[in-house]
């Protein structure tokens, strides 16, 4: 487990309940290092200390697969992924950019792809997007005769996750600070941009034009974050919305509107899609438990990532997720692990 945060804690329980043998855990914060991962995850002692030295954990434990959840974007995690594959470990990360990094960070993705192939390892990005935004939507698109436009809208509560998301959603900034970060040349890609590129790949369409609009979500009254135990005063940025539009050479236009911010009472996560064409098609997942489904998808992908060919293999190249009723190792191709 690379990253002992909100997501790592839940995935630890899910893995132990599917007989995955956890052999190591990595984090940085001195308040976590030295603690037992099971105790950190509140499932009781499992005999896996959280350690700060990633190289040491990977070299001594030689994991078959690393579940990675530290930061969101490839430039931040390149070194961490490199370290994993150099030790021959497959990686399933929930870094959002890793869902489909080929248009946003092509050079880093290509470097990691080559390195993974050299070491016989696979890197895959999974998490909430895998089924809810990619595979469910591509399955629905597969029932159309003609597609004119695709419009998706998703919201999620940034307060259900850890400090990393709070920071990357610009929570706590003033409007001026937010505008400065958003206008900066180093602004990271939107999750929606990566998703639309993945959907284009999954449908065999060719992107020709992109547009992104980002706007802050501002607290209309004081808003408390349980995740970091802070109350943000009225007027403070509590997250943001982005709208990505992708036009394709073949005609269909894809739009995805995503809002991640600290919810007030009565708000819930949603995921809705409208496809115009022949026929018109709709997808509505009702109240979406994104916090849990991030980790269930991440863990259920373990055998697929071990079974996949070496390289940076994005989930559009993998089968749709499957329910795992049996111990996780029973889904691994016999003889694939040395
Ligand atoms: N794809 C999805 O569906 C999805 C959903 C939720 C979250 N995510 C992403 O997953 C990541 C983790 O989310 P979270 O809510 O679990 O965050 P979190 O609670 O803040 O935990 C992040 C963990 O990563 C560790 N970490 C961060 N940078 C590190 C580094 N350079 N080296 C070693 N360890 C490092 C942190 O260590 P310390 O605490 O010791 O500093 C912490 O243990 C975020 O990037 C988030 O955006 C993706």
């Amino acid at each position: 487990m690379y990253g002992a945060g909100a997501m790592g804690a839940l995935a630890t329980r899910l893995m132990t309940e599917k007989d995955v043998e956890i052999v190591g855990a990595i984090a940085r914060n001195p308040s976590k290092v030295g603690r037992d991962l099971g105790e950190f995850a509140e499932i009781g002692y499992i005999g896996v200390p959280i350690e700060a030295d990633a190289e040491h954990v990977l070299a001594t434990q030689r994991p078959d697969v690393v579940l990675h959840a530290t930061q969101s974007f490839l430039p931040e995690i390149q070194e961490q992924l490199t370290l994993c594959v150099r030790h021959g470990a497959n990686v399933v990360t929930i870094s959002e950019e890793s869902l489909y990094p080929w248009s946003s960070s092509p050079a880093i993705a290509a470097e990691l792809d080559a390195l993974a192939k050299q070491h016989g390892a696979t890197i895959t990005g999974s998490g909430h997007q895998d089924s809810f935004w990619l595979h469910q939507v591509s399955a629905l698109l597969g029932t159309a005769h003609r597609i004119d436009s695709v419009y998706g809208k998703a919201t999620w509560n940034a307060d259900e996750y850890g400090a990393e998301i709070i920071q990357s959603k610009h929570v706590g900034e003033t409007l001026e600070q937010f505008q400065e970060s958003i206008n900066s040349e180093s602004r990271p890609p939107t999750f929606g941009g990566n998703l639309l590129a993945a959907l284009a790949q999954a449908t065999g369409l060719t992107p020709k034009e992109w547009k992104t609009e980002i706007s802050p979500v501002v607290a209309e009254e004081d808003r408390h974050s349980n995740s970091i135990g802070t109350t943000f005063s009225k007027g403070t940025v509590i997250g943001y919305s982005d709208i990505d539009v992708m036009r394709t050479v073949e005609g269909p236009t894809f739009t995805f509107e995503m809002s991640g911010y600290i919810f007030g009472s009565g708000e819930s996560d949603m995921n809705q899609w409208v496809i115009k064409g022949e026929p018109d098609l709709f997808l509505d997942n009702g109240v979406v438990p994104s916090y849990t489904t991030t980790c269930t998808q991440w863990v259920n992908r373990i055998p697929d990532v071990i079974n996949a060919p070496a390289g940076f293999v994005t989930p559009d190249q993998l089968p749709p997720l499957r329910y795992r009723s049996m111990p996780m190792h029973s889904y691994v191709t016999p003889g694939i692990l040395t």
Side-chain angles (χ1 to χ4, degrees):
M1 174 60 68
Y2 202 140
M7 297 293 92
L10 175 55
T12 295
R13 175 174 72 76
L14 301 180
M15 283 195 286
T16 56
E17 290 174 1
K18 292 281 161 79
D19 285 356
V20 176
E21 184 193 356
I22 304 176
V23 295
I26 301 159
R28 306 168 296 189
N29 193 314
S31 69
K32 293 180 187 169
V33 173
R35 286 183 70 189
D36 180 74
L37 178 67
E39 287 175 349
F40 168 74
E42 298 179 352
I43 56 167
Y45 184 80
I46 59 169
V48 177
I50 299 174
E51 298 179 58
D53 186 346
E55 170 108 53
H56 174 76
V57 174
L58 292 161
T60 54
Q61 301 303 327
R62 308 292 304 178
D64 296 318
V65 60
V66 171
L67 269 80
H68 176 270
T70 60
Q71 293 151 292
S72 299
F73 304 106
L74 239 53
E76 303 166 322
I77 62 168
Q78 181 179 10
E79 222 175 281
Q80 299 160 32
L81 301 187
T82 297
L83 200 59
C84 295
V85 294
R86 275 196 197 287
H87 286 90
N90 299 292
V91 184
V92 54
T93 175
I94 55 169
S95 130
E96 290 84 347
E97 189 181 5
S98 299
L99 182 81
Y100 195 85
W102 295 105
S103 40
S104 54
S105 293
I108 298 179
E111 236 180 274
L112 287 168
D113 180 53
L115 193 73
K117 284 178 174 146
Q118 188 188 331
H119 291 272
T122 307
I123 302 171
T124 295
S126 183
H128 182 67
Q129 301 94 313
D130 190 334
S131 175
F132 281 82
W133 299 356
L134 176 59
H135 276 284
Q136 289 188 35
V137 177
S138 12
L140 192 61
L141 291 170
T143 69
H145 172 62
R146 190 193 73 252
I147 301 168
D148 299 327
S149 65
V150 179
Y151 173 78
K153 184 176 166 79
T155 59
W156 48 272
N157 185 1
D159 204 29
E160 291 202 315
Y161 307 92
E164 280 296 331
I165 281 198
I166 296 284
Q167 192 189 349
S168 69
K169 295 311 287 180
H170 300 274
V171 173
E173 292 186 0
T174 61
L175 273 175
E176 292 70 26
Q177 288 167 329
F178 176 82
Q179 288 308 342
E180 199 180 316
S181 329
I182 292 305
N183 294 334
S184 131
E185 295 233 321
S186 56
R187 175 178 68 73
T190 56
F191 301 172
N194 293 113
L195 168 71
L196 294 186
L199 280 172
Q201 183 66 25
T203 43
L205 296 168
T206 321
K208 70 165 182 190
E209 203 181 297
W210 295 89
K211 206 171 78 182
T212 300
E213 275 174 32
I214 301 180
S215 46
V217 179
V218 174
E220 287 172 0
E221 57 196 29
D222 288 359
R223 184 68 55 92
H224 185 71
S225 162
N226 294 317
S227 167
I228 57 166
T230 305
T231 299
F232 298 103
S233 52
K234 183 178 166 183
T236 308
V237 174
I238 50 168
Y240 64 84
S241 300
D242 43 62
I243 303 179
D244 285 282
V245 181
M246 174 183 75
R247 294 187 195 287
T248 62
V249 172
E250 294 80 1
T253 298
F254 287 64
T255 304
F256 184 60
E257 188 175 344
M258 187 201 79
S259 303
Y261 60 95
I262 298 188
F263 280 7
S265 60
E267 293 185 276
S268 47
D269 294 15
M270 50 93 94
N271 183 46
Q272 293 172 347
W273 291 78
V274 177
I275 295 155
K276 294 279 183 194
E278 183 183 348
D280 290 348
L281 296 159
F282 305 91
L283 171 69
D284 184 346
N285 290 125
V287 173
V288 182
S290 322
Y291 170 84
T292 306
T293 54
T294 295
C295 295
T296 51
Q297 293 174 80
W298 189 24
V299 170
N300 285 344
R301 267 293 178 221
I302 292 175
D304 294 331
V305 174
I306 294 174
N307 294 340
F312 205 129
V313 180
T314 49
D316 52 286
Q317 306 297 312
L318 296 177
L321 280 152
R322 298 273 180 245
Y323 173 57
R324 310 294 186 185
S325 64
M326 296 185 293
M328 203 57 81
H329 58 80
S330 45
Y331 299 95
V332 172
T333 307
I336 206 165
L337 294 172
T338 49

